[in-house]
Amino acid sequence: MVSALALAFYLAKTTETEEVFVPVLNIKRSELPLRGDNVFFLQKIHIPESLLIFRDEIDLHALHQAGQLTLILVDHHVLPKSDSALEETVAEVLDHRPIEQRHCPPCHISVELVGSCATLVTERILQGAPEILDRQTAALLHGTIILDCVNMDLKVGKATPKDSTYVEKLEALFPDLPKRNDIFDSLQKAKFDVSGLTTEQMLRKDQKTICRQGIKVAISAIYMDLEAFLQRSGLIADLHAFCQVHNCDVLVAMTIFFNTHNEPVRQLAIFCPHAALRMMICGVLECSHSPSLKLTPAPSTHPNLQAYLQGNTQVSRKKLLPLLQEALSAYSDSVKIPSGQPETEGVCREQADKDLDRAGSSLVPGLSQDEEEPPLPPTPMNSLVDECPLDQGLPKLSAEAIFEKCSQISLSQSTAASLSQK
């Protein structure tokens, strides 16, 4: 978002034509509350939300048909199938990930593998017209680079020398910019803040989806304590509505937070109106040894919902996906989900037990390769991209990825402490 805002500002100030440069934020306006760090940052920099233009508020196809559209793709380079007709209007790509040649529009491409696209925008401004840079734009670029590059932490390895150079140049030009630690900590806190979100927004904020044999599962990260989540007013009605709207058969919520001792905590909730399918998934997760989740059933008075405390906090959603995929395959081979009323617990228990035995025996082989995660997760799907051809590029950190990093640090510190005592 910041790259689009800053580049449009630069082009408007430096282009001597009658063209109008409009930064289009490539999400629906209704999705902005899901991006707490963006909301916080724009408010902090005094940019009113009312001035922003979102993807659902401008008809790019109509502008194209009228011959009045030129696109510059910022921080991505692939148009979805629904926008394929717009490809001929793309004049430039400005991105910081490897180009997917098969999908990239035939245009001028400016790509450099840095930690933040905002670095490339900063470079263009300072090389092209440094006199136009004001403190507000500098603060936007400065904070974004710091967030993308994880506070320029060399151990994380996201920041390149160019990222560091342009952060330093911005700080030299505007010495009153916020301290790096302050802006990074405040943005990270805003990422995790779910206060004020509806249950549906919380589930959508950080969601992955898998589909196997016609069964669709949504896996959402929830950044709060499971007990507090389960006590939300109207929760079951909201979960039912979420599954209906998103056409999901199962909803898996993984809660993530730190306790009072700054120790990472994960919990699981599996919501599914189909008893046999829910029992199958729960049984597979309980019996898994590769990896072992070390699940302990947690109290839940809600129908169709099973809750757990997760003893192994190193098992993230990524490590959960292979288990869920195998469970869906085994289940769909033997049980057909009815289109009418969900099954009752008693009718399906015997069949579910047989299916569980079958699934459990098929889960262990071949999963060892999925146990080790890379230092950083793959790039989340951009809202302009149908698939995710950018996975091999420099990844962006989701809120869950930050938790992963902190969890690893916490674990290593605990191990070091125990070693020193010995």
Side-chain angles (χ1 to χ4, degrees), residues 63 66 94 109 183 190 237 288 361:
L63 290 171
L94 183 64
I109 298 175
I183 191 64
S288 173
S361 62

Side-chain angles (χ1 to χ4, degrees), residues 198-243:
T198 66
T199 298
E200 194 268 348
Q201 288 174 326
M202 291 174 64
L203 293 170
R204 286 174 50 214
K205 179 177 173 66
D206 196 348
Q207 177 194 337
K208 300 179 185 294
T209 303
I210 61 173
C211 189
R212 182 66 63 89
Q213 305 296 329
I215 303 174
K216 186 176 180 182
V217 180
I219 309 101
S220 299
I222 305 293
Y223 300 99
M224 65 187 301
D225 176 62
L226 179 61
E227 182 178 358
F229 179 69
L230 295 180
Q231 291 177 351
R232 292 177 67 87
S233 176
L235 177 68
I236 291 300
D238 289 340
L239 298 182
H240 273 290
F242 181 88
C243 289

